[in-house]
Amino acid sequence: ISHRGAPALVWALTVVPSTHTLEGEPEEILVSGDSRGIVCLWDPEHATSLGTSGGEFRIEGLVGDITSLATTSDGTAVFVGAANGGVGALRRIADDPYSWATHRARLLHATDVRCMCQHGRKIVVGGLDGRL
């Protein structure tokens, strides 16, 4: 993903299921997190970025590499972990696969967030500091 400037390393990937399938909309969305601290949304079928922002998002409060991603089971949100121990989110706006809003990060760990998953209605986050 170096087509827009500095080369980047992708550290995290997840797939968001579509909430509806209108003509021309992707059935699922691929989400990547990279070493530039950017979260990108992709149409995996056509290998193109999504959204009016070019499919790229920076989340306030996340510093450094994006190290982990987790998707809610209903496909309405993606949680994002970073090297500074922060966790932020992207949320779908009005069930539109092309419109997402960022939600400012909270610092939950002293260092890198390494893994996340949904458990029931909660997101479980693990970091290098040995805490969940």
Side-chain angles (χ1 to χ4, degrees):
I1 57 175
S2 63
H3 67 285
R4 297 204 177 160
L9 297 172
V10 174
W11 294 118
L13 293 170
T14 192
V15 174
V16 178
S18 179
T19 57
H20 60 327
T21 54
L22 297 176
E23 186 66 32
E25 290 183 0
E27 290 186 21
E28 55 191 16
I29 298 169
L30 179 66
V31 183
S32 64
D34 65 39
S35 58
R36 301 172 299 165
I38 295 177
V39 178
C40 299
L41 304 178
W42 304 90
D43 176 345
E45 185 175 334
H46 299 100
T48 56
S49 60
L50 294 178
T52 56
S53 66
E56 293 187 353
F57 298 89
R58 285 191 184 272
I59 297 176
E60 182 182 349
L62 295 184
V63 178
D65 300 1
I66 302 301
T67 54
S68 60
L69 299 167
T71 305
T72 57
S73 59
D74 63 3
T76 59
V78 176
F79 289 87
V80 182
N84 70 331
V87 175
L90 289 175
R91 291 207 184 267
R92 222 182 268 240
I93 300 172
D95 207 28
D96 180 354
Y98 299 101
S99 297
W100 295 75
T102 60
H103 290 266
R104 193 173 63 120
R106 294 177 54 197
L107 292 178
L108 300 178
H109 291 273
T111 185
D112 296 23
V113 171
R114 287 299 181 161
C115 56
M116 294 190 289
C117 70
Q118 182 179 9
H119 179 69
R121 295 179 39 96
K122 299 181 187 232
I123 296 292
V124 180
V125 180
L128 282 181
D129 55 8
R131 295 181 21 222
L132 288 178

